Structures are given as C-alpha cells and as structure tokens.
Amino acid sequence: MAQVEATTERIVAADPETVFDTLADYKDGRPKLLPEHFSEYQVREGGDGEGTLVHWKLQATSKRVRDCLLEVAEPTDGQLVEKDRNSSMVTTWTVTPAGEGRSKVVVSTVWNGAGGIGGFFERTFAPKGLGRIYDAMLAKLAEEVEK
C-alpha cells in the first residue's frame, strides 16, 4: 500500500483569521463551502474547530463514495486537521498570511492507497479528482470571505 496525496492551494483576499474561522465553523460556515460531491453532512459533536466530530459522504466519482466520520484537531495556529475514523484519510487545512488582507489556504489529504493495478489507478487519478473538489471548495470559500 502506497500513500496517496492530493494538495490544492489558493490565495484569498481576506485576512487569515476570517478565513480560518470560516473553515473551522463546521456548523454554519463549512456547509456553505461544500460542492455537490458532499452529502449527508451532519455535525455530531462540537461545531467550532478542535473537538468537532462531523459526518459526510464524499462522492469522489460516479462509483466511489466515502462515508467519512471526521475528528477535528487544531495542532497549531491556522491549522485544522480532520482525521477520518472510517479510514486512513487525514485532511489538513493550513491558513497563512499572504500579504496585506490576504491569505494562503492549502488543503492536503493523504491516505493509504490500494495495492496492485487498482492502487496504480488510485494514485494516478484520485489526487486529480480530489483536487478538483477542493478547488471548488476554495472558490466557494473565497466567495464567502471576500464579501
């Protein structure tokens, strides 16, 4: 099993605190950012950053749906880490300053991929597909915080 990684980033015209607070608000902020690939979204515990437990289904392709139950941690300032209880998937959101009133948002997901030919296709295509999903989320994030 090889580790698979998908990373996407975007510069957003809003201060890092506003951007981070929107991402960490799983109750009201995060649902506004989710593209059509997400369904059955539900905050089960908490709702604001550290200690949140959130559920969703992620439809990565027409045939591939992941049932995710994520524990949220804030290991350092400007960073959210979502660990899936149902798999090896870990997503890290990092928000840093990028000049006056601007932020750089990097989202990176890693997981243990399948072996064999299936693993080859997963390592080849999954990062691109997940990257497109995150690009859509980051576009919605920019739209939300740049108002």
Side-chain angles (χ1 to χ4, degrees):
M1 285 194 312
Q3 196 168 58
V4 183
E5 181 174 356
T7 301
T8 304
E9 64 182 61
R10 183 180 181 118
I11 300 295
V12 178
D15 65 271
E17 187 176 320
T18 299
V19 173
F20 183 82
D21 288 349
T22 302
L23 285 170
D25 179 3
Y26 288 86
K27 193 182 295 183
D28 298 315
R30 187 63 74 96
K32 296 175 185 175
L33 311 180
L34 301 177
E36 67 279 1
H37 301 89
F38 293 84
S39 64
E40 299 183 30
Y41 184 91
Q42 180 185 39
V43 175
R44 297 203 176 157
E45 293 175 17
D48 185 22
E50 179 84 31
T52 296
L53 182 65
V54 64
H55 171 267
W56 62 62
K57 288 193 177 177
L58 173 59
Q59 183 148 5
T61 68
S62 60
K63 295 178 183 174
R64 180 79 171 122
V65 178
R66 277 187 183 261
D67 189 347
C68 302
L69 183 60
L70 302 140
E71 296 175 352
V72 179
E74 292 184 37
T76 62
D77 283 350
Q79 194 171 66
L80 287 169
V81 177
E82 302 167 343
K83 292 184 181 177
D84 187 8
R85 287 185 178 175
N86 298 333
S87 73
S88 62
M89 189 169 70
V90 177
T91 300
T92 303
W93 296 84
T94 306
V95 180
T96 55
E100 186 67 33
R102 296 167 61 86
S103 304
K104 179 179 179 180
V105 184
V106 179
V107 56
S108 180
T109 298
V110 295
W111 69 94
N112 296 327
I117 192 72
F120 169 77
F121 284 105
E122 182 179 24
R123 288 186 304 281
T124 302
F125 298 108
K128 292 174 184 155
L130 197 52
R132 283 191 295 275
I133 292 169
Y134 286 142
D135 282 340
M137 283 185 76
L138 292 174
K140 287 182 175 221
L141 172 66
E143 189 178 293
E144 185 67 24
V145 298
E146 291 174 359
K147 289 181 180 174

